[in-house]
Amino acid sequence: MAEKSNIEWTDATWNPVRGCTKISPGCKHCYAETFAERFRGVAGHPYEQGFDPRLVPGKLHEPFKWATSRMVFVNSMSDLFHTYVPDEYIERVAKVMVTANWHTYQVLTKRADRLQQLLSRPLRFASEAKNVWWGVSVENKKHGLPRIDHLRKAPAQIRFLSVEPLLEDLGEIDLSGIHWVIVGGESGHGARLMKREWVA
Ligand code: SF4
């Protein structure tokens, strides 16, 4: 993935893991899957294996090469807390974020139960870092709201929500312990519509 990002709320992407599998309705039109599958079978391309999950240890130290401070979206092309990724590897990613601390890292997941579990123990050291923001995706009530509870229970200096693609009215949300919220609808072919009153 290019080191410069087109995502509005970040400067760069860093993908020490590539690929993922769908876990909830928010994944239906996953842009990362669409991008990766375009290159399946293209010899030598980073996405030669399409969207199949895999570790990319050669990318682990990439943030050290960026001398100036950046806002870094971690794993824009996967989910760091996917079951495929071993605890020890997630720990290595966290150590880079804590050590290359002139950057700010945004870690976004749909596997919030594992985020809570790991931040409470092996990743405790990273939960205390102010330059690492931990976030969950929230697309609906059934899958999204329990993720907010997991995130709130996880030790972290900065917690954020990515409420996109918003698929229904979430009603009143408890935002205690949450520091930053991004809200948006879906875009692209076949996008599911978001109603203005859902974000009122
Ligand atoms: S969790 Fe994220 S990266 Fe994985 S399939 Fe769903 S939308 Fe795509």
Side-chain angles (χ1 to χ4, degrees), residues 20-23 26-27 30 32-33 51 77-79 110-111:
C20 192
T21 50
K22 296 184 178 185
I23 190 168
C27 299
C30 173
E33 179 191 35
F51 203 45
M77 295 295 290
S78 62
D79 186 331
K110 286 189 172 70
R111 277 91 178 168

Side-chain angles (χ1 to χ4, degrees), residues 161-182:
L161 306 181
S162 170
V163 185
E164 54 185 3
L166 183 56
L167 299 178
E168 65 180 8
D169 187 355
L170 300 175
E172 288 278 314
I173 310 180
D174 176 7
L175 290 177
S176 58
I178 306 297
H179 305 93
W180 186 52
V181 180
I182 312 155

Side-chain angles (χ1 to χ4, degrees), residues 21 40 45 59 65 88 90 101 127 132 139 149 155 171 188 199:
T21 50
R40 182 180 287 280
H45 192 277
K59 284 271 178 186
K65 296 181 197 156
E88 300 70 36
I90 299 176
N101 59 5
S127 75
V132 187
E139 75 270 49
D149 289 332
V199 277

